[in-house]
Amino acid sequence: MERGYKKIFWALFFVTFHLNIGSLQLLPPFMGWLILLSGLQELTSALQNSSISTASFERGRTSGRILVGLTLLGTLGSLGTGGDWMEAPVMTFYPIIIIGLEIITFFYILEGTHEIFSALGFNERKEESEGKLRTYLLMVIPSGVLLTFALFFNHSFSMVIGVLLGLIAVIYLLVFIHQVKKFWMENPLENPVLEKRETLFSGTE
């Protein structure tokens, strides 16, 4: 489990904070999303011998695959046209679609995390993850709305507020994912408090 959340952490970091040398992007967004898919694969593999549902993580993988395809298309288009293709009217919807898919993907990751804690009887962690999910949505949805408004109406103030709110949401999410990773590093299942943890979950990676 630890490896899965570690990959998700770095995937979110790299797709948010781009590393550039001049105009060259060292890690294009599609590569970051590929790392995220690998992290989700780690989580579903760790749960495959348990009775815990992986449906949320599978849905996250589906939206993640779409993100890989779209951002790969964006990278190839930018390389082929020098970035000019983003000026085409039809591409107005591109960043809006990406923002929406990002929200959906991390919603499912947080939902899946909550389901694991709930199934294993980690009540404190379950309540914490539920609160984190709610707070994340309260920040990221208004950010998406403001950025959409700014893109359509060229409203610079909405753009600034939307970007700042989105950045706060990402940092908030990064901190929580890091906390979850540390939680699994401590091997919490080695000394189970509830017997059902042993039957629900055969082990962790």
Side-chain angles (χ1 to χ4, degrees):
M1 297 293 286
E2 172 204 344
R3 290 202 302 266
Y5 283 105
K6 182 177 181 179
K7 288 181 179 180
I8 291 170
F9 174 91
W10 285 112
L12 178 58
F13 181 88
F14 286 128
V15 298
T16 304
F17 306 102
H18 305 302
L19 301 176
N20 297 329
I21 296 180
S23 59
L24 178 64
Q25 199 169 70
L26 294 182
L27 191 71
F30 77 90
M31 294 183 67
W33 295 118
L34 284 173
I35 295 172
L36 181 131
L37 288 180
S38 178
L40 286 174
Q41 177 61 46
E42 293 271 3
L43 298 183
T44 55
S45 294
L47 295 170
Q48 66 182 355
N49 294 323
S50 75
S51 60
I52 301 173
S53 173
T54 60
S56 292
F57 291 139
E58 293 294 348
R59 294 187 186 105
R61 290 176 68 189
T62 298
S63 56
R65 291 186 187 102
I66 299 172
L67 279 166
V68 170
L70 289 177
T71 51
L72 175 59
L73 180 64
T75 298
L76 294 175
S78 295
L79 290 174
T81 64
D84 292 339
W85 83 307
M86 292 299 294
E87 303 298 324
V90 70
M91 295 308 297
T92 302
F93 298 98
Y94 179 83
I96 298 170
I97 294 171
I98 296 297
I99 290 170
L101 286 169
E102 288 180 4
I103 294 172
I104 291 169
T105 300
F106 285 103
F107 167 81
Y108 284 129
I109 291 172
L110 290 175
E111 183 181 60
T113 300
H114 174 264
E115 290 171 352
I116 292 173
F117 289 141
S118 179
L120 294 174
F122 292 112
N123 293 327
E124 184 178 344
R125 289 288 178 174
K126 179 190 74 172
E127 293 174 4
E128 180 187 19
S129 60
E130 185 178 9
K132 297 291 186 182
L133 173 58
R134 185 164 49 247
T135 302
Y136 171 71
L137 292 177
L138 285 174
M139 289 189 291
V140 78
I141 291 177
S143 171
V145 171
L146 286 170
L147 290 173
T148 300
F149 179 83
L151 287 169
F152 274 103
F153 298 100
N154 196 28
H155 195 270
S156 57
F157 181 74
S158 296
M159 177 66 74
V160 171
I161 299 300
V163 168
L164 287 176
L165 193 56
L167 184 59
I168 292 171
V170 167
I171 294 173
Y172 182 83
L173 189 55
L174 282 170
V175 170
F176 177 62
I177 293 173
H178 179 68
Q179 291 172 346
V180 175
K181 182 197 71 172
K182 288 182 64 178
F183 174 78
W184 288 110
M185 285 177 65
E186 296 169 358
N187 297 317
L189 296 173
E190 287 188 349
N191 298 299
V193 176
L194 300 179
E195 291 183 1
K196 70 174 182 177
R197 292 180 191 170
E198 295 180 327
T199 59
L200 283 171
F201 198 80
S202 61
T204 184
E205 294 292 334

